[in-house]
Amino acid sequence: MPATLRDVAEYAQVSMRTVSNVVSGYTHVSERMRARVVQAIEELDYRPNPVARTLRTGRTGMLALVVPEIDVPYFSALARDVINAAAEVGYRVMIDQTGHDHERERELLTGNDRTMLFDGILFSPLVTKAELLEMETPTRMPLVLLGEHDFDGRYDHVAIDNVRAAYDAVAHLISIGRTRIAAIGAQPLEPYATPQQRTEGYESALREAGIEPVADYARPAAHYSRADGYTAAQGLLTLDPRPDAIFCFSDLLAMGAMRAVFDAGLTVPDDVAIIGIDDIEEGRYSRPSLSTVSLDTTFIAEQAIARVAARIETPVLRPEQVVAPHALRVRESTSPSAR
Amino acid sequence: MPATLRDVAEYAQVSMRTVSNVVSGYTHVSERMRARVVQAIEELDYRPNPVARTLRTGRTGMLALVVPEIDVPYFSALARDVINAAAEVGYRVMIDQTGHDHERERELLTGNDRTMLFDGILFSPLVTKAELLEMETPTRMPLVLLGEHDFDGRYDHVAIDNVRAAYDAVAHLISIGRTRIAAIGAQPLEPYATPQQRTEGYESALREAGIEPVADYARPAAHYSRADGYTAAQGLLTLDPRPDAIFCFSDLLAMGAMRAVFDAGLTVPDDVAIIGIDDIEEGRYSRPSLSTVSLDTTFIAEQAIARVAARIETPVLRPEQVVAPHALRVRESTSPSAR
DNA sequence: TTGTAAGCGTTATCAC
DNA sequence: GTGATAACGCTTACAA
């Protein structure tokens, strides 16, 4: 049975108030008192109960990070940075996996959950723009959206310029002379913001180069996984004329696509150049190494933490839209000369 | 200001007790009462405060999963399975990153932290056997060790048979005719249990085949990362005679090692066969795909959750040692004939 | 500077 | 079956 504040007070022959002051490192406590209390704490092996403290103060010191899948490298890298950035300002992070479950996302957002355990939420959603907008009862909890814009300006969010990032990737493929440029990751049926924006960037880069987008060249991918990338690329390779480049909406899709190209007896980048988005470490060691558009997860994490922390202090803050930088990283998968 | 139980009680003209009963879906409540209460809850948009509930019941419904680095694929795969297994039995999981910080680990283990926020801990430690044993004040919190044995039997743990897993990997290399078999991941200076055991398995497989271990062939690796694998392999490739196989203590090390072999102008598996441990998805798509010893993270997660849940129910349970199965997965990186 | 006591929002123990 | 009421362990006005 752990010792309580009251136990310590009795043992040290002082009031609970004094013990509390000592524990909180707070205001004026005489040296004699402090010494007595500290000793009592030691001897009773007292540790404050964080739950009781929370009930009283209303602060848990915990943030939730909600992602679709923690084992997707981009999300685990993001989680790493979020955990570190949060620790920097005294918060701990709980990770929640929605697993592509819209219902679970809704639950979290509307606070029909045990959500009140958190002081704030960082949310990397799959919900569509429409779903976000239709949310009748937005949670009163400080919320920062990651990777998805809500176009209503109701929430803080931090994300890259998806249109521009996709544009840059495709422009790079064009710059190395590719003309039959396919894409994996479009989701025409489910209007998530990110795929839409990347599709837009893809098409605008093509058009700007005088290339008319070919419907067959744009392949959907449900989960942005290696397996989906593999399957989609297999489909693309059967087309006539065969694409000479593939722009994948995520590095993971690209890893799958690369393997599919090899398994078809073709080479990357000579037969098919491949580029992704995310810049996961895996792509720096793969063979060939993967060209990509780098997202700065550290920047994203720090901004998101800063926003949510600010909103916890001051709930009425005006929502802010932070655009994270991105950068093209040219590696072997789009460098024919190098091999 | 969120509505409280008291608000609901007043609004519905019943006692708090009755409301609590309805909310908990608990015992006998008359239909009339229940209807009134339910309606009041709806109208006031009442949601129970989990913190207050926790203070009263002593249960948070939360588990902590403590890992060195969440963005290491093995750990994020484990985290995924732990989160899912926990959800299955009504727990949520908070992920803590120790980042190779022994002090942080100690803090968690001794409960000098806000640890009491959790009902239990799943701990994948870096601490050495000695450190574990020396812990004067073991936490009173239900604790399950992952991937590390403590040889004192003081804690539950679930782990594979590391000696055997390493043995199997090396025996496989021998079976395909390799004789100059190097290893990456030994940590002679820091006696963590896992590296020691894997080194033991490595050496015993060699000796059993009549091969005397070569000191130069065993390379340390601080972090089991791609970068460490790359560097260590570079070193190995300069040796004379050059190793014709490398056993890596993790798949991530293996990914780095493979890249180093290629960058040296050699091929896998013809010049150097490579095998890892973990079976991360990355290795199934890499080129060549990576032979490995598969750890069943789902099994490990389920067992760990079952143990910790049982211990939460019954704290005095005798510690149990669960050995998770492992299985050799032969892929291209050790299949010369296939390429 | 230190002590007293009133909650924070639940659940659980009593009676009725 | 339902209703008061006392904890759970802490922080913080308010007093002294």
Side-chain angles (χ1 to χ4, degrees), chain A residues 201-271:
Chain A
Y202 161 69
E203 293 180 347
S204 81
L206 290 182
R207 291 217 169 84
E208 194 167 294
I211 303 171
E212 192 54 29
V214 177
D216 260 2
Y217 279 3
R219 296 279 162 146
H223 282 7
Y224 284 25
S225 63
R226 296 180 186 88
D228 284 354
Y230 189 92
T231 309
Q234 274 189 320
L236 286 170
L237 295 177
T238 65
L239 295 180
D240 185 16
R242 198 177 63 209
D244 58 9
I246 305 178
F247 163 46
C248 298
F249 284 19
S250 86
D251 279 1
L252 226 43
L253 285 171
M255 301 313 297
M258 285 213 288
R259 182 72 212 199
V261 171
F262 298 126
D263 286 353
L266 302 170
T267 66
V268 176
D270 294 330
D271 295 315

Side-chain angles (χ1 to χ4, degrees), chain A residues 102-130:
Chain A
H102 283 217
E103 208 35 66
R104 180 101 193 78
E105 292 195 340
R106 272 198 121 77
E107 217 173 42
L108 278 163
L109 278 184
T110 53
N112 278 326
D113 197 41
R114 309 197 233 187
T115 319
M116 285 162 76
L117 262 173
F118 308 110
D119 295 338
I121 306 186
L122 307 190
F123 192 26
S124 185
L126 290 170
V127 291
T128 62
K129 172 186 162 186

Side-chain angles (χ1 to χ4, degrees), chain A residues 281 285, chain B residues 72-74 183-187 195 198 219-234 236 246-261 274-278 280 282 290-292:
Chain A
E281 194 186 71
Y285 286 81
Chain B
V72 165
Y74 173 74
I184 298 178
Q187 274 152 330
R198 293 186 182 173
R219 297 280 162 145
H223 283 166
Y224 285 23
S225 62
R226 296 180 185 88
D228 284 353
Y230 189 91
T231 308
Q234 275 188 319
L236 287 171
I246 305 178
F247 164 47
C248 297
F249 284 18
S250 86
D251 280 1
L252 226 42
L253 286 171
M255 300 313 297
M258 284 214 287
R259 183 71 212 199
V261 171
I274 291 188
I275 190 168
I277 289 189
D278 281 347
I280 62 179
E282 176 176 350
L290 180 68
S291 295
T292 190

Side-chain angles (χ1 to χ4, degrees), chain A residues 255-294:
Chain A
M255 301 313 297
M258 285 213 288
R259 182 72 212 199
V261 171
F262 298 126
D263 286 353
L266 302 170
T267 66
V268 176
D270 294 330
D271 295 315
V272 184
I274 291 188
I275 191 167
I277 290 190
D278 282 346
D279 194 13
I280 62 178
E281 194 186 71
E282 176 177 350
R284 299 209 273 276
Y285 286 81
S286 65
R287 199 166 63 114
S289 57
L290 180 67
S291 295
T292 190
V293 175
S294 179

Side-chain angles (χ1 to χ4, degrees), chain A residues 80 92 96 113 226 281, chain B residues 71 92 96 113 226 281:
Chain A
R80 172 202 60 206
R92 286 176 70 173
D96 223 302
D113 197 41
R226 296 180 186 88
E281 194 186 71
Chain B
D71 60 324
R92 286 175 71 172
D96 225 300
D113 198 40
R226 296 180 185 88
E281 196 187 71

Side-chain angles (χ1 to χ4, degrees), chain A residues 297-317:
Chain A
T297 53
T298 306
F299 177 91
I300 293 172
E302 282 169 357
Q303 290 294 315
I305 291 293
R307 283 313 295 167
V308 83
R311 185 165 295 281
I312 289 167
E313 291 306 320
T314 319
V316 293
L317 247 40

Side-chain angles (χ1 to χ4, degrees), chain B residues 143-146 148 150 153-158 307-308 311 317-322:
Chain B
L143 172 69
V144 174
L145 254 29
L146 299 180
E148 288 286 341
D150 87 298
R154 286 197 298 176
Y155 304 104
D156 287 305
H157 75 244
V158 23
R307 282 314 294 168
V308 83
R311 186 164 296 280
L317 247 39
R318 243 193 49 219
E320 213 168 274
Q321 334 288 316
V322 179

